[in-house]
Structure formats: C-alpha cells, structure tokens
Amino acid sequence: MRALRLAVVPGDGIGVETTSEAVRVLDALRAAGALDLLITAFPWGAEHFLATGETVPEGAFERLSLDFDAVLVGAFGDPRVPDNRHAREILLGMRTGMDLYVNQRPVKCLHDSLCPLKGRSAADVDFVVFRENTEGAYLGLGGAVRPGTPEELAVEEDLTTRRGVARICRYALGFAERLARPARLGRRPRVLMADKHNVQRFGGELWRRVFFEVAGEFPGCDAAHMFVDALAQQMVRDPASLDVVVTNNLFGDILTDLGAALQGGLGMAASGNIHPGRTSVFEPVHGSAPSIAGKGLANPFGSILTAAMLLRETGHSAAADSVESAVAACVAAGETTPDVGGRLSTSEAGVAVVRRLDVSG
Ligand code: NAD
Ligand code: IPM
Ligand code: MN
C-alpha cells in the first residue's frame, strides 16, 4: 500500500503535548511494519503568529488537500492572542476552506470507571454526533454599532442553506445505515436531528423540513426529531437510547463537550472534520487548556483515538483497531493520566499505549 502522507499541526498549549503522543503511537505502528507513513509537521499556531504575523500561509489549505492524505491537528488558543484570530483562521479556516462539512464526534465510553452517570455503565454510552461544520453561527457574519456606549448593538448571523443541511443529514443517515448492515446494532438505527425550530423559525424550520426529506432516502433508519435542549437532558438520563445525532454547528459544539464528559472528560474525546473522498482533518475535541499546558498533565488518549479515527477513514482499519484496543486496555488497567484517575504523565500514557499495541493481526 502507498505511504500515508500525513500533515501534523500540533498548534498551541496541550495540543503540542497530546499530538506528540498520537505521533508516538503512529510511529510505533510504522516501526512494527503495520503502517507506511510520511509525516510533515507545520508550525502554525500562536507562537508562529506572534513571531511572524502569519496565521497560515497563502494557499496552505489547497496544498494540504493536494499533498497530503490526512491532517492531524492538536488545539489552537493562547491567552496572548485574546481575540483568538489565529485559531479562527487556522482551524475554522481548514473546516470551511477545505469544505470539511462533516464533524464526526463519537461519544463512546471505554470503561465503567469513566462513566459519570449514576446507575449506568460504559455500554450505555455509545453513539455518534454529526455536527454540521461549515455554516451556522460560525461564519463570522454580523457587526457591532456604537461599541462601548450605552447604545451598543451587536448582530450575529446564523446562516443555514438547504445544500448544507441536506449533505450533513445524508452523511449521518448513511452512517447509521452502515451501522445496522453487519448487524452491529441488532436493530434499526435511530437518527435524531436536534434543532430549536420552536424558536429559530427560519433556519430551524429549514433543518426540520430538509432532514425529513432526506430521511426518506434511508428507509432502513428510524428518523426522529428532538429539540436540542431536550436532547441535552436525554444524553444524561438515557444515553443508551441514542445511536446517531445530527445537528448544526453551534449545537454540535456544545453537545459534544457534554458528550466528552460522558466518556470520562475532554481528554478522552476524538473527532474528525471530514469531506468524504478528500483530505480530511482530525483533531481531539479538547482545546489548548493553557492552565495545564507544559506540565505533563494532559490526557493524550483523545488525540490518540483521533489518530485511530484518521487511520480508519484513510483505509487502515486494522491499525485503527489495534490503537483503539490498546487505549481501552490502558484504561482498564488504570494506566492513565490523573484527569481519568491514573498517575501517569502525558508521555508515560503515550508509552503505555505503545506497549499495549498488538500489531500481529
Ligand atoms: P479546553 O478544552 O482547553 O479545557 C477545558 C477544561 O478541560 C480545562 O479544565 C482543561 O484543563 C481540561 N482539559 C481539556 N483537555 C484536557 C486533556 N487532554 N487532559 C486533561 N484535561 C483536559 O477548553 P477551554 O478552557 O474552554 O479553552 C482553552 C482554549 O482552547 C481557548 O483558547 C479555546 O478557544 C481553545 N479551544 C480550542 C479547540 C480546538 O482547537 N479544537 C477546542 C476547544 C477550545
Ligand atoms: C471545537 C472548538 C472550536 C469550535 C473553537 C476552538 C473555535 O470548541 O473544536 O469544538 O467551537 O468549533
Ligand atoms: Mn468545542
């Protein structure tokens, strides 16, 4: 098989530390002959921005798409860039610039010890959130008038297109149908669309209509609607009832931090920014966590599981399986960072995963 050409952008804060452990695991797969890999690192982030004034070079996203099979990123955010300009231009820039319209965020709890819900076990927490990733409240459309005065006024636009809603709904429904096909689920998959069309009468109403239209193409799925506030409580009260959730950009952002908590915390959660058939960008759900950066406290498992997702999406499913199993084995053995109850440092946790990699299959 041709080498996997991987671009790595660690970014800021703990992004640097967690990405380095994900790369350690990928390197171990390469050393074991389980993966042919070519890695190129890019320095984009707060440090680079402060030193050079550049967020990303002209044409960078086109080059990523042309020269690489996938991109692994860490996190962006630094107190020295209070308006977060570099994060918007790099991270949101990739999502919109590379048209990565699917933000796939699995919510899967790997061990009972990580499940925060009373009376529930890890088996109850296993669903996927599909977040629309290129429109909604994330386009920076709006403006402010008379800032700093008592008459101050701000407008923040939330943009929804039929094409945007249809394509993310189609992807989520297609994913759900594939879930059911090898009888992995043992029943018809349930796809829930979450919006707030009782208040957001225009964008919300478009979501509701288009979701059910598209659902008509997927007779193997049970399509249902839930208001996003009700879904938030359902995620806590009865996560086992959920298979696939599809929602807009902002609601998906919020729900997936709640989803991260159901998996043991932000340090455990993986995600992929995907355009099917194109170079996609994989990043853990967590941010740069400035208060713990540089201390070896960051949990690298979210980033390592993100690398597994990248492997799966690029056709290396055996390697992805071995990484996921190794992380699960570490969690079961208590070989984790303190945020999930263990005593290991960030790099010790990465080494523990490498030790448990089984690349024989
Ligand atoms: P955060 O995810 O960085 O941190 C939230 C809390 O979770 C903190 O208490 C932090 O210590 C903890 N945490 C997060 N990841 C962890 C890990 N791997 N191991 C252990 N603990 C972990 O979110 P925040 O504090 O709201 O944001 C900090 C900065 O990161 C901001 O600039 C924000 O804009 C940015 N951010 C970036 C991304 C991204 O690049 N994908 C995502 C979220 C936030
Ligand atoms: C995420 C983050 C980003 C988002 C921020 C850093 C712009 O919270 O990836 O979840 O809101 O999408
Ligand atoms: Mn977020």
Side-chain angles (χ1 to χ4, degrees):
M1 194 186 247
R2 193 166 62 79
L4 175 68
R5 300 164 306 164
L6 181 65
V8 176
V9 191
D12 305 328
I14 66 164
V16 177
E17 298 160 71
T18 60
T19 306
S20 146
E21 298 314 311
V23 168
R24 183 198 298 280
V25 171
L26 292 171
D27 266 335
L29 290 170
R30 168 170 51 188
L35 185 67
D36 195 1
L37 182 67
L38 283 170
I39 293 184
T40 308
F42 293 91
W44 310 328
E47 202 67 55
H48 180 77
F49 174 56
L50 291 167
T52 66
E54 175 186 78
T55 55
V56 274
E58 188 75 25
F61 302 143
E62 289 81 358
R63 290 253 61 92
L64 287 179
S65 296
L66 287 171
D67 296 346
F68 296 93
D69 301 308
V71 185
L72 178 67
V73 310
F76 302 91
D78 187 300
R80 294 170 299 168
V81 189
D83 69 358
N84 222 20
R85 178 183 151 199
H86 71 297
R88 275 201 310 280
E89 290 189 17
I90 302 168
L91 187 64
L92 303 185
M94 284 179 190
R95 291 178 186 171
T96 52
M98 296 166 76
D99 198 28
L100 307 170
Y101 67 90
V102 177
N103 193 337
Q104 180 171 336
R105 296 189 157 184
V107 180
K108 184 174 165 64
C109 185
L110 295 181
H111 194 266
D112 290 351
S113 63
L114 300 186
C115 181
L117 304 175
K118 194 168 65 179
R120 302 277 170 194
S121 63
D124 293 320
V125 179
D126 187 4
F127 60 97
V128 184
V129 176
F130 289 96
R131 163 186 178 190
E132 201 293 321
N133 214 24
T134 54
E135 47 187 54
Y138 274 69
L139 293 183
L141 299 175
V145 182
R146 300 185 291 270
T149 73
E151 290 77 36
E152 185 163 4
L153 177 159
V155 177
E156 198 83 52
E157 301 285 1
D158 188 335
L159 184 137
T160 310
T161 68
R162 169 177 277 275
R163 171 175 171 270
V165 174
R167 65 181 183 170
I168 185 67
C169 290
R170 197 165 276 125
Y171 193 88
L173 286 149
F175 179 93
E177 228 174 40
R178 289 195 298 279
L179 260 188
R181 210 167 286 151
R184 271 174 60 197
L185 208 56
R187 60 181 160 78
R188 283 163 64 80
R190 187 164 186 227
V191 181
L192 267 183
M193 189 280 281
D195 70 6
K196 193 71 191 163
H197 71 253
N198 48 352
V199 176
Q200 298 186 310
R201 289 180 38 231
F202 307 108
E205 174 54 23
L206 197 159
W207 264 89
R208 192 192 61 76
R209 238 179 321 110
V210 173
F211 170 70
F212 284 109
E213 262 175 51
V214 174
E217 300 166 19
F218 297 86
C221 296
D222 285 337
H225 166 267
M226 220 171 176
F227 291 117
V228 66
D229 45 352
L231 174 61
Q233 68 86 39
Q234 178 92 344
M235 282 173 63
V236 173
R237 292 185 63 91
D238 189 13
S241 66
L242 304 172
D243 299 327
V244 169
V245 169
V246 60
T247 191
N248 74 21
N249 209 338
L250 186 58
F251 295 155
D253 178 46
I254 298 165
L255 290 178
T256 53
D257 265 35
L258 175 54
L262 299 179
Q263 300 169 78
L266 276 163
M268 295 299 302
S271 97
N273 303 275
I274 296 168
H275 185 121
R278 291 197 200 163
T279 301
S280 296
V281 175
F282 297 81
E283 49 156 347
V285 175
H286 69 72
S288 56
S291 67
I292 60 165
K295 298 180 177 164
L297 287 171
N299 182 348
F301 288 176
S303 186
I304 294 170
L305 292 167
T306 295
M309 197 172 168
L310 181 157
L311 291 171
R312 195 172 301 289
E313 288 295 319
T314 52
H316 302 84
S317 55
D321 288 343
S322 64
V323 173
E324 284 172 0
S325 304
V327 171
C330 285
V331 171
E335 293 169 2
T336 69
T337 46
D339 56 304
V340 283
R343 294 171 172 213
L344 302 187
S345 69
T346 307
S347 56
E348 287 167 345
V351 168
V353 173
V354 167
R355 271 205 209 103
R356 289 183 177 275
L357 275 180
D358 176 4
V359 288
S360 55

